[in-house]
Amino acid sequence: MSEFSVVGKRLPKVNVWAHLTGTARYADDIQLPRMLYGRLLRSPHAHARIKRIDTSRALAREGVVAVCTGADMPERMGIMPSTQDEYALALDKVRYVGDPVAAVAAVDEDTAYDALSLIDVEYEPLEPILTVEEALTREDVKIHEDSGRPANVFKDVHLEFGDVEGGFQRAHRVYDNWYFFEGTTHAPLEAHSAVASYDGDGKLTLWTSTQVPHYLHRELEKVLGVPRSKIRVVATPNGGGFGGKSDPFAHEFAACLLSMRTKRPVKFTLDREEVFYAHRGRHPVLMHLRTGVSAEGDITAVHFESYLDGGAYASYGIATTYYTGALMTVTYKLPAYKFDGVRVYTNKPACGPKRGHGTTQPRFAFECQLDQIAEDLGLDPIAYRERILQPANSRTVNGLRITSMGLGQCLEEVKRSTRFPEKHGLLPRGKGIGVAGSAYISGAGLPIYWNEMPHSGASVKIDRGGGVTVYCGTAEIGQGSDNVLAVVAAEQLGVLTDDVHVVSGDTSLAPVDLGSYSSRVTFMAGNAVHEAAGKLRALVAEAAAAKLGVPPDRIGLAQRRVYDLADPSKSLTFAEAAVLAEARNGTLVSVGSYKPPKGISGDYKGSGVGPTAAYSYQAAVAEVSVDLETGIVTVDRITEAHDCGRALNPPAVEGQIEGAAYMGYGEALAEEQVFRGGLHKKPSLLEYKLPTSMDTPEMKAIIVETIDPEGPFGAKEAGEGPLNPVIPAIANAVYDAIGVRFDETPITPAKVLDALQKSKSRVGPEGLSSQRDPKAALRRLHATTDAREKKKVM
């Protein structure tokens, strides 16, 4: 018998008209069921079998309307189709403290919360796996028994390009370092929230703070058994995502199921502690980086190893694993490159994509090591990076296509703005300056579900008053995507952004867009809108040309006017021209779509992660002061230049640069998602250290425009890439200040003070635990990996 139950009693309904207008005397107005409020019961164990669940006491509680458990939604789900290993609510096992087990819907949130303690769950505790080392070696404890991989390995990747062995043999010197990047979480201002309503016509609507309405739409169909044609997902504008709302979550499925069973709207809002459990944040990554260089500093070979602590479930982990290695090649010339990556399961909240997905950790390692190489060569760190840049319009050793490439300009801009050569190595002890470069994608080259359909679609409508409406499935998460789409449409049609309405994130109203992740919206949705609006532009121009008696190619559109380019006094208002165009062509609606071009990656297994139609580039300089008595690091100033192609909205681009720099600053010095015995040590914004406005350093954002040939009006991404160089720039600045290399994050006062007191020259890991050989772990993985998992490209 299903664990799902509904208390059989009538509860009051609310008079909607009376509620909105205060006219309660109209007793016969349309009435809708009163909203129910949901809460999730979460596991107190890091790893345990669920032996029994009894919901009867909770259901008997006054005000409780319904309860559901994993048995009511037994379909596996997850964001990546090839690695779906989650259930909406835990079915047979719990795999981390906070894993959702059951859901309650009640007349108010307090009642729902109280009812959670009345649900009886019998657990059989199991030994937890909490470290990468344990996950690699413990065959006796399996977090996912059916994973089909050794120990608790989720994914291992082994790729080699060029003559790596020969490159190291030719090197004048080989640098060999270990690095560690601590896990962090997104900490969005707004918590996850969702409202589901199941209507009398058998249609389900979910309003939710998601970044991926299309993919959530797919998962709801699978888990609930309801055709997508009867499900509507509305991605509400929400207060921050940063990647943390780009998975399907338990509260979304629970809200839908409980609404379907009760025929009443159901709302779930996670509290702040639950947001930490939902997580999907930055992976803790242990990294081993070997780089061979010639006597002049040219890189001869790189071998990079990454060990990712993935937490309890897959999330985007298969892509994250590849991303830790894929983009190492797009900034500097690497003639030979080898990448070994492994992601493991542990009994902690699942990690996933956080701003800079998968590329932030390796960029920290690479840029710190490049700083060391430059110092040993006696070269200025900026001059050294400029010498080894990957050129524009080129191919990397792993087959990635580079189009526009502005890293050189970015380095020049930050050098000039900060007078870097006049300061580096010349400041008094305790003062330092550091630099780093980086790159990021403008949307992934392949969709999550591989197919030939567009990655982004849009429709544009012109009304008879000259108003323009853009429909697109993008999710507005505070990054300004609606404004970008309005800017593109307005520029194409010669109107103002005030004239453009954007309808986004609604699966019933807008064409499919794959979501707001991987910095894809400006480039991909922007190109879709550009195409759709361009078709309407042609119709408006043709109608105006006929009216004005000029050829269509002499028609210009700007400032709500449609005019003769040769004689601007001959013109119509945009609204007048739109009416003429509608009279000639019928209703003015057009569609556009975008998918990345073919041939932007290599031809090998794993080449689907890393390619993009255009890479953004950025360089950051950090200036710091280190208190030699307390170990406190103060970042005095961050100067960052970002190559965004063309800035469609310069103030918004500057805001993205500053926001990313702020986020990177917090990860460099304070943030850490850490656990003790499976328990989260800091599941609140009181204890999880985020910099406030009072802590934030002076920032200068510099826009570099390279005008990408394939972006909408030449634009590329601006949302994620600017985070990546900030963290290594701060680490390099701390070294310049006190002569200690920090090869791990965060750089806390305790670590700094300990290094100063003990005269350390380096703080960082030495590898995996001394009892285990990391090479042996990799050899074992190689031995058990199907030969098709490995591809050597010479």
Side-chain angles (χ1 to χ4, degrees), residues 409-730:
Q409 296 98 304
C410 290
L411 288 166
E412 280 296 309
E413 288 290 343
V414 295
K415 178 174 72 174
R416 180 166 47 251
S417 180
T418 62
R419 305 193 343 262
F420 185 91
E422 301 172 32
K423 299 177 181 178
H424 185 257
L426 302 173
L427 297 172
R429 183 167 170 77
K431 294 282 187 179
I433 188 169
V435 67
S438 186
Y440 199 63
I441 59 175
S442 297
L446 287 175
I448 289 174
Y449 286 79
W450 287 13
N451 56 59
E452 295 300 319
M453 290 184 284
H455 292 211
S456 187
S459 61
V460 179
K461 175 177 70 72
I462 301 176
D463 65 43
R464 296 176 185 181
V468 177
T469 303
V470 174
Y471 300 87
C472 188
T474 53
E476 174 57 75
I477 57 173
Q479 85 281 40
S481 61
D482 283 3
N483 175 265
V484 166
L485 302 186
V487 166
V488 172
E491 184 69 19
Q492 275 285 57
L493 296 171
V495 299
L496 305 182
T497 54
D498 289 349
D499 302 322
V500 182
H501 304 270
V502 177
V503 178
S504 60
D506 190 321
T507 60
S508 289
L509 299 182
V512 167
D513 175 83
L514 299 185
S516 292
Y517 64 95
S518 296
S519 274
R520 55 179 304 285
V521 171
T522 293
F523 202 98
M524 296 190 177
N527 266 323
V529 172
H530 186 274
E531 179 182 299
K535 294 175 183 177
L536 291 181
R537 179 188 177 99
L539 297 180
V540 171
E542 289 170 3
K547 179 68 174 179
L548 298 175
V550 300
D553 60 4
R554 271 177 45 188
I555 292 294
L557 289 83
Q559 296 295 313
R560 297 174 177 155
R561 306 290 298 179
V562 183
Y563 58 93
D564 180 3
L565 290 169
D567 180 7
S569 65
K570 298 171 65 174
S571 68
L572 301 167
T573 67
F574 179 77
E576 290 169 340
V579 168
L580 293 173
E582 185 173 345
R584 285 167 59 99
N585 301 286
T587 302
L588 294 180
V589 178
S590 65
V591 297
S593 60
Y594 177 81
K595 63 180 178 180
K598 301 286 187 181
I600 60 176
S601 67
D603 182 19
Y604 54 90
K605 183 176 177 62
S607 65
V609 178
T612 185
Y615 296 94
S616 72
Y617 291 90
Q618 46 283 145
V621 166
E623 298 176 69
V624 307
S625 299
V626 180
D627 189 313
L628 303 179
E629 294 185 353
T630 66
I632 293 174
V633 177
T634 300
V635 178
D636 302 312
R637 186 177 298 104
I638 296 173
T639 304
E640 182 162 8
H642 176 66
D643 163 26
C644 63
R646 185 193 296 277
L648 300 182
N649 183 334
V653 173
E654 290 176 356
Q656 287 288 348
I657 295 171
E658 292 171 359
Y662 157 83
M663 211 164 190
Y665 158 62
E667 292 192 64
L669 297 185
E671 294 183 50
E672 50 185 350
Q673 174 108 335
V674 293
F675 299 81
R676 181 186 291 118
L679 290 174
H680 198 304
K681 290 176 64 176
K682 304 178 179 182
S684 78
L685 294 184
L686 178 65
E687 297 167 292
Y688 184 86
K689 301 303 181 184
L690 288 169
T692 69
S693 59
M694 298 296 291
D695 305 306
T696 303
E698 177 187 338
M699 294 184 182
K700 182 175 182 180
I702 302 170
I703 296 173
V704 172
E705 295 186 302
T706 55
I707 317 302
D708 190 82
E710 297 178 20
F713 300 111
K716 301 191 289 189
E717 79 90 23
E720 299 190 55
L723 182 147
N724 283 350
V726 172
I727 302 166
I730 291 173

Side-chain angles (χ1 to χ4, degrees), residues 259-524:
S259 180
M260 290 170 61
R261 297 293 179 87
T262 62
K263 308 299 189 291
R264 297 168 67 170
V266 178
K267 178 179 181 179
F268 279 77
T269 299
L270 303 189
D271 62 32
R272 181 57 59 178
E273 184 175 350
E274 290 180 293
V275 173
F276 277 89
Y277 296 143
H279 191 41
R280 313 299 160 124
R282 184 97 63 215
H283 288 67
V285 182
L286 179 67
M287 297 165 281
H288 185 204
L289 176 60
R290 295 179 67 238
T291 301
V293 296
S294 69
E296 296 75 29
D298 294 325
I299 296 174
T300 61
V302 169
H303 182 194
F304 179 69
E305 298 171 88
S306 60
Y307 298 82
L308 293 79
D309 182 342
Y313 296 106
S315 183
Y316 286 80
I318 191 168
T320 315
T321 308
Y322 279 105
Y323 269 130
T324 58
L327 297 195
M328 292 281 280
T329 63
V330 301
T331 46
Y332 310 108
K333 288 181 287 188
L334 306 185
Y337 177 56
K338 184 178 181 180
F339 169 52
D340 292 301
V342 57
R343 181 183 188 266
V344 298
Y345 288 118
T346 58
N347 290 116
K348 293 179 279 191
C351 297
K354 185 183 177 185
R355 200 174 196 170
H357 180 199
T359 67
T360 304
Q361 305 94 322
R363 183 55 52 183
F364 167 74
F366 200 19
E367 293 293 324
C368 287
Q369 192 178 75
L370 287 178
D371 206 64
Q372 181 183 356
I373 295 170
E375 181 187 44
D376 290 349
L377 291 170
L379 296 175
D380 174 88
I382 292 180
Y384 175 56
R385 286 169 171 83
E386 290 176 330
R387 276 185 45 186
I388 60 173
L389 289 176
Q390 176 74 22
N393 302 308
S394 64
R395 287 275 178 173
T396 67
V397 69
N398 58 335
L400 301 176
R401 186 196 70 165
I402 308 293
T403 55
S404 57
M405 202 285 194
L407 181 52
Q409 296 98 304
C410 290
L411 288 166
E412 280 296 309
E413 288 290 343
V414 295
K415 178 174 72 174
R416 180 166 47 251
S417 180
T418 62
R419 305 193 343 262
F420 185 91
E422 301 172 32
K423 299 177 181 178
H424 185 257
L426 302 173
L427 297 172
R429 183 167 170 77
K431 294 282 187 179
I433 188 169
V435 67
S438 186
Y440 199 63
I441 59 175
S442 297
L446 287 175
I448 289 174
Y449 286 79
W450 287 13
N451 56 59
E452 295 300 319
M453 290 184 284
H455 292 211
S456 187
S459 61
V460 179
K461 175 177 70 72
I462 301 176
D463 65 43
R464 296 176 185 181
V468 177
T469 303
V470 174
Y471 300 87
C472 188
T474 53
E476 174 57 75
I477 57 173
Q479 85 281 40
S481 61
D482 283 3
N483 175 265
V484 166
L485 302 186
V487 166
V488 172
E491 184 69 19
Q492 275 285 57
L493 296 171
V495 299
L496 305 182
T497 54
D498 289 349
D499 302 322
V500 182
H501 304 270
V502 177
V503 178
S504 60
D506 190 321
T507 60
S508 289
L509 299 182
V512 167
D513 175 83
L514 299 185
S516 292
Y517 64 95
S518 296
S519 274
R520 55 179 304 285
V521 171
T522 293
F523 202 98
M524 296 190 177

Side-chain angles (χ1 to χ4, degrees), residues 214 217-221 226-232 507:
H214 168 66
H217 200 207
R218 296 182 69 122
E219 293 307 295
L220 289 172
E221 176 185 52
V226 177
R228 256 181 284 173
S229 59
K230 293 189 176 183
I231 301 174
R232 177 187 181 190
T507 60

Side-chain angles (χ1 to χ4, degrees), residues 182-203:
E182 183 60 85
T184 62
T185 198
H186 315 83
L189 184 63
E190 182 185 52
H192 304 57
S193 188
V195 176
S197 180
Y198 187 68
D199 298 331
D201 60 358
K203 292 183 178 178

